[in-house]
Amino acid sequence: MEKLLSLLSKYKSLITYGIFGVLTTLINIGIYTLCYQQIGIGNVVSNIIAWVVAVLFAFVTNKIWVFESKSLEPAVLVAEAVSFFGCRLATGVLDIVIMYVTVDMLALNSTIMKCISNVVVIIVNYVASKFVIFKKGAKTSE
C-alpha cells in the first residue's frame, strides 16, 4: 500500500492532468460537435468556439488542481495566464490546421479527426504546462 501511495504521489500531476485532460477533451469535442453537427456552424468557427471554452476550463483546472499553483499575486497570475493562453493559442492553431486539412480538404470524418487532433494537442500542452507555465519554484501566496 505504501508503494502505491508513493507511486500516486510521484505521478500526481500526470494523473490529475490526465483526468482533467479527458474532461477538457470531452468539453472540446462536445462543444465542437454541438456547434458543427447540431447547430450547423462552420467547421473552423465551431472549432474556435470549442477551443475557447476548453482552454478556459483547462486554465482553471491546471492552475488549481494539476500543478497546484497557489499564487494569486497579480504578477504571477498574469505571467501564468499569458504563458498558458499563448501556448494554448499555438496549439489551438495546430488544432485548426489539422482540422482544416483533414476535414475540409481531405473530407475525413470530423469526429475521428477531432479526437486525433486532441491527442496531439494534449501531449504538447502537458509538456509546456509542466516545464514552462506552472513550473515548480515559482513564488506562491498562501
Side-chain angles (χ1 to χ4, degrees):
M1 184 66 163
E2 188 175 312
K3 283 191 175 201
L4 177 62
L5 292 175
S6 175
L7 206 57
L8 288 174
S9 177
K10 182 177 180 179
Y11 295 107
K12 182 181 178 191
S13 74
L14 190 57
I15 293 166
T16 54
Y17 185 82
I19 292 166
F20 287 112
V22 167
L23 292 174
T24 300
T25 300
L26 291 174
I27 288 168
N28 191 317
I29 293 168
I31 298 292
Y32 170 79
T33 301
L34 176 71
C35 291
Y36 184 63
Q37 295 180 357
Q38 302 300 317
I39 299 173
I41 299 172
N43 174 49
V44 172
V45 174
S46 293
N47 203 47
I48 291 169
I49 293 167
W51 178 84
V52 168
V53 173
V55 169
L56 289 171
F57 175 79
F59 178 73
V60 172
T61 58
N62 276 246
K63 177 168 179 53
I64 296 170
W65 292 292
V66 177
F67 299 107
E68 299 177 354
S69 175
K70 305 294 184 198
S71 178
L72 295 177
E73 293 177 31
V76 173
L77 192 57
V78 168
E80 288 175 343
V82 168
S83 295
F84 189 86
F85 288 100
C87 176
R88 292 315 193 269
L89 183 59
T91 58
V93 169
L94 175 63
D95 183 33
I96 289 168
V97 168
I98 290 169
M99 292 301 291
Y100 177 74
V101 169
T102 60
V103 175
D104 292 341
M105 295 177 71
L106 300 176
L108 299 175
N109 181 284
S110 63
T111 304
I112 292 171
M113 296 319 303
K114 187 67 177 159
C115 292
I116 291 170
S117 178
N118 269 273
V119 169
V120 172
V121 167
I122 287 168
I123 293 167
V124 174
N125 286 339
Y126 179 79
V127 171
S129 291
K130 182 166 181 76
F131 297 108
V132 178
I133 300 164
F134 299 112
K135 60 185 175 256
K136 295 289 182 191
K139 289 176 62 179
T140 61
S141 295
E142 301 297 325

